[in-house]
């Protein structure tokens, strides 16, 4: 089957897409499988989505893989998710590196097993000069935790109150230097932010689909991008069309 092309003008391709990969558990449940089978299928899908992201020419992708709240899940599931991250690094790192993907981790490393921490750091180090796609993996990530840490560091650095600006806070977040996400995709239909990029998402556009993450395919990704391209981003102002009319 040949792919239909993406009908989006280049200037309407988002610079940064962020994805809340949700619905693995329900995907598995629907098939009478254990939840971890859903997470494995989700990981397979991630590989395809990364590839499509490169193909679509999107330079930044952030994926939400494990939240600071996900520690509250049954131990077996938490351990399974840790194992999956380790497997992904073991199995995919060389390929991702070859494809020019720069891996970054956003979130807290401390609570992960030392061996896993080591692998994450090595993956980041190995790929740090790659330019084709910056892939932020949000693992043990929480938006509030990120802001709390930023504030603590700002105070420790002795930044004077009047210098605590929007930009300055941005420089203290994990995403320093990365443009804010233009488009956030959430699969599985939930209408909430679940502590993801709460600072950076101030003016992101949302695309929410009932599709469970393992089934979110290239066609649907393309649809998300085409929908995004139609959006009128006003940032609190008025749309260009309205502004032009007003000025006439
Ligand atoms: C998303 O799928 C993956 C993680 C949160 C790690 P879920 O595991 O949340 O799947 P549902 O929401 O229970 O279906
Ligand atoms: C958000 O999904 C976290 C990830 C996708 C990693 P959750 O499934 O944890 O979110 P809630 O619990 O439905 O808000
Ligand atoms: Mg979920």
């Amino acid at each position: 089957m040949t792919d239909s092309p993406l009908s989006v003008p280049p200037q309407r391709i988002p610079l940064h897409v962020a994805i809340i990969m949700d619905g693995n558990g329900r995907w598995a449940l629907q098939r009478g499988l254990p939840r971890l089978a859903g997470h494995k299928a989700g990981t397979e899908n991630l590989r395809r989505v990364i590839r499509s992201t490169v193909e679509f020419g999107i330079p930044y992708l952030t994926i939400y893989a494990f939240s600071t709240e996900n520690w509250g899940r049954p131990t077996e599931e938490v351990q399974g998710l840790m194992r999956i991250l380790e497997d992904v690094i073991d199995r995919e790192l060389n390929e991702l590196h070859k494809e020019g993907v720069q891996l970054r981790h956003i979130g807290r490393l401390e609570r992960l097993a030392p061996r896993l921490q080591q692998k994450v750091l090595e993956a980041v180090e190995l790929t740090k000069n790659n330019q084709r796609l910056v892939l932020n993996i949000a693992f043990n990530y929480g938006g509030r935790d990120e802001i709390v840490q930023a504030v603590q560091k700002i105070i420790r650095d002795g930044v004077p109150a009047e210098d605590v600006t929007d930009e300055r806070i941005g420089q203290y977040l994990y995403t320093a230097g990365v443009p804010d996400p233009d488009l956030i995709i959430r699969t599985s239909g939930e209408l909430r932010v679940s502590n993801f990029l709460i600072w950076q998402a101030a003016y992101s556009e949302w695309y929410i689909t009932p599709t469970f993450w393992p089934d979110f395919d290239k066609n649907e990704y393309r649809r998300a991008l085409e929908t995004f391209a139609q959006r009128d981003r006003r940032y609190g102002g008025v749309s260009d069309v309205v502004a032009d009319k007003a000025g006439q």
Side-chain angles (χ1 to χ4, degrees):
M1 204 176 75
T2 52
D3 276 344
S4 61
L6 184 63
S7 53
V8 173
Q11 70 276 16
R12 289 265 170 174
I13 300 269
L15 211 52
H16 184 178
V17 172
I19 307 181
I20 302 178
M21 311 184 290
D22 199 10
N24 293 346
R26 279 162 283 172
W27 181 92
L29 189 72
Q30 253 185 0
R31 289 162 177 76
L33 297 169
R35 290 179 59 84
L36 274 176
H39 294 313
K40 290 211 179 93
T43 308
E44 290 301 310
N45 193 44
L46 175 59
R47 184 194 303 175
R48 294 188 286 267
V49 167
I50 294 171
R51 218 146 272 151
S52 304
T53 306
V54 170
E55 249 176 68
F56 291 143
I58 297 162
Y60 295 91
L61 175 67
T62 299
I63 48 138
Y64 204 8
F66 191 89
S67 74
T68 46
E69 287 71 38
N70 288 148
W71 292 103
R73 295 189 178 201
T75 317
E76 197 190 330
E77 182 169 349
V78 170
Q79 282 174 353
L81 287 164
M82 297 291 151
R83 222 175 313 117
I84 286 174
L85 176 63
E86 197 171 335
D87 282 357
V88 168
I89 299 175
D90 288 344
R91 282 189 288 121
E92 308 289 334
L93 181 60
N94 285 335
E95 191 59 32
L96 289 170
H97 183 42
K98 258 194 257 150
E99 286 172 16
V101 176
Q102 183 186 134
L103 283 171
R104 293 189 189 174
H105 169 252
I106 65 171
R108 273 189 198 254
L109 268 188
E110 302 99 87
R111 218 175 146 179
L112 311 190
R115 197 181 63 191
L116 183 53
Q117 290 187 31
Q118 195 53 39
K119 286 193 178 177
V120 171
L121 293 173
E122 282 167 12
V124 170
E125 179 61 28
L126 175 73
T127 61
K128 69 178 183 203
N129 295 320
N130 292 343
Q131 296 296 331
R132 200 135 178 233
L133 171 71
V134 172
L135 174 62
N136 292 309
I137 301 181
F139 197 95
N140 194 17
Y141 171 88
R144 286 192 173 185
D145 185 51
E146 179 180 35
I147 294 169
V148 167
Q149 288 196 76
V151 172
Q152 288 177 344
K153 184 128 203 305
I154 286 170
I155 293 170
R156 267 191 230 112
D157 286 354
V159 178
E162 58 276 17
D163 289 348
V164 182
T165 56
D166 191 323
E167 285 72 28
R168 184 58 68 97
I169 290 174
Q171 289 161 4
Y172 278 81
L173 300 175
Y174 297 124
T175 50
V178 172
D180 286 341
D182 300 293
L183 171 65
I184 302 181
I185 296 171
R186 183 166 189 154
T187 56
S188 92
E190 306 300 349
L191 301 174
R192 54 178 171 263
V193 66
S194 301
N195 207 7
F196 187 47
L197 301 177
I198 53 177
W199 175 275
Q200 298 87 338
Y203 270 102
S204 303
E205 297 291 327
W206 285 81
Y207 179 87
I208 297 190
T209 168
T211 306
F212 295 140
W213 172 248
D215 291 332
F216 181 86
D217 63 10
K218 193 172 180 186
N219 281 329
E220 183 141 19
Y221 196 177
R222 192 183 286 116
R223 227 163 18 245
L225 295 171
E226 287 167 359
T227 306
F228 169 80
Q230 307 293 325
R231 302 273 177 92
D232 179 18
R233 301 181 80 185
R234 292 191 287 279
Y235 300 96
V238 288
S239 76
D240 290 347
V241 182
V242 175
D244 286 352
K245 278 205 181 120
Q248 275 167 11

